Amino acid sequence: MKLIDILKHPSLHSIQVAAGANGLSRNVTQVGMIDAPDINDFLFEGQLLVTSGFHFTKNSHLLHDLIIGMHDINASGIAIKLDRYIYELPTDIIILADKLAIPILWTPADDFLSLTVKRLTAVILETQNTELRQIIAINQQLSNLNAQNITYQHLLDQSAKVLKTPLALLDSHFTALYASSEWVAQREFLTHYLRHESDIDYLNLSAPTRIAFNHQIIDILPIFSALNENKAFAAFVVNESEPSDFQMLRQQQVMNTLGLANSRTDLLNETDFRNRSGFFLNVMQGGLSDSAIDNYLHDESIDNKQCFRVAIIDFVQQNTIIESHQFEIRQQLTRWFISEHHLPVLTFSHSQQLVLLINEDIDTRQFLNQLFQFLNTQKKLNYPFTMGFSRISKSVHKLSELYDQANNALKLTSNQHPIMRFRPKNAQELLDLLPKQESDVFVEKTLGSILKNTELLETLKSYVFLHQNVTAVATALFVHRNTINYRLKRISDLLGVDLEMPDVLVDIQLALLLI
């Protein structure tokens, strides 16, 4: 506890401050009685030293050295028995004590040193016992509030009474969501200042920070959260530049209570996210009727006619087992980014993928580029990832089709091209999807008789792709028209087909594409 608070006790009214009054806010953790020339060897942080001052009369420099030693070790002060050996302090000692803020106290001449120590110790123990009882009562009070599942507003009002200072609850975007009653009017101003003028990297803020706001000093403390990207903050008005241990302990009690309430909110939000993921997965698998989908969307205040594009974020190492925490970090960072920019984007998880339903009014590629750049700057993500998105936008009812497009686009991504939009395959790409064994059988069946005759094969290819125009074929191959007619007759005989039949030409064209 602070020395100034100890001295306020009625039993210690006879103790007077002789010098170093600006150091009375020092904390006292123990009281020691020492009368020896080597006092400096027995100093401890937070120690209030009680002495007769005998050795200071014989060696005047000892008191000077003691003050410096107490300052260096952050001791709390010196209590000297008045008129026993010392009757007044030298001017240089007063100046030094004032400069280093080391309080020097006069204790009554008619008190034994042991009695002075006893009184000081009794006051400290009495205060500590009182504070302990108060902390237990505060803990019980705040625990009861959490058990009652009261509103944040009520919780903050009670916390403000405990701390005797206004406070606000900030979300992970530094928005003041709630504040104790005396500070409610400041919420919007505080939010604007924190988000736009404080230059604090609130996404990565993990340590307490102090700022000046509206002619007040404010401490901002991160509130514990199971997921860092979900963390919240408590903002307190600082009434004491150096709060007492008791005040800090009360503050910790409030922080623990807010942390518990915040964890409960996190759990509810995560449950909502999992429920939403389950709904969208059912839609993709065709497990819900249109009316069931509409009912859910209505309950979630989502327009059932609203069209979305679908994007998928996936790790590059798709066949690698990646620790689950990496998925959580990616999901939370993405959801944080969407919320930070107030974007109409819905999210859900599917296996190792994070799926985004992007409102059709958004420039999808621009949004994904910005999201990609944001995620790439986060050191918490240890694995590269890519994004694929659908070409078209449709309502949630067509989610399966949109997902297939995005997933096919995802297969075309690479480290060099991490964001791809779905594009329909051309005929050649579709044919390339056929198993090679089947395509080889088809080619052999259709063109087998001329496959080794380069001249006839080239003539047939030109004939098919020049729309059966014999003159054009002759010009392209630099031969006479009659030569082309002769070759076509021979091809027809070898293949046993009529080259003027449409279905024959279709088979030949497909076979030529498969070669």
Side-chain angles (χ1 to χ4, degrees), residues 97-124:
D98 288 342
K99 177 182 178 182
L100 299 182
I102 295 294
I104 299 179
L105 311 176
W106 290 130
T107 65
D110 55 353
D111 276 358
F112 292 109
L113 292 183
S114 58
L115 180 59
T116 300
V117 171
K118 182 178 179 180
R119 287 176 177 169
L120 287 167
T121 303
V123 170
I124 293 174

Side-chain angles (χ1 to χ4, degrees), residues 83-103:
D83 294 340
R84 176 70 169 125
Y85 299 106
I86 298 180
Y87 301 92
E88 62 179 357
L89 294 176
T91 301
D92 64 318
I93 293 297
I94 295 175
I95 292 173
L96 180 62
D98 288 342
K99 177 182 178 182
L100 299 182
I102 295 294

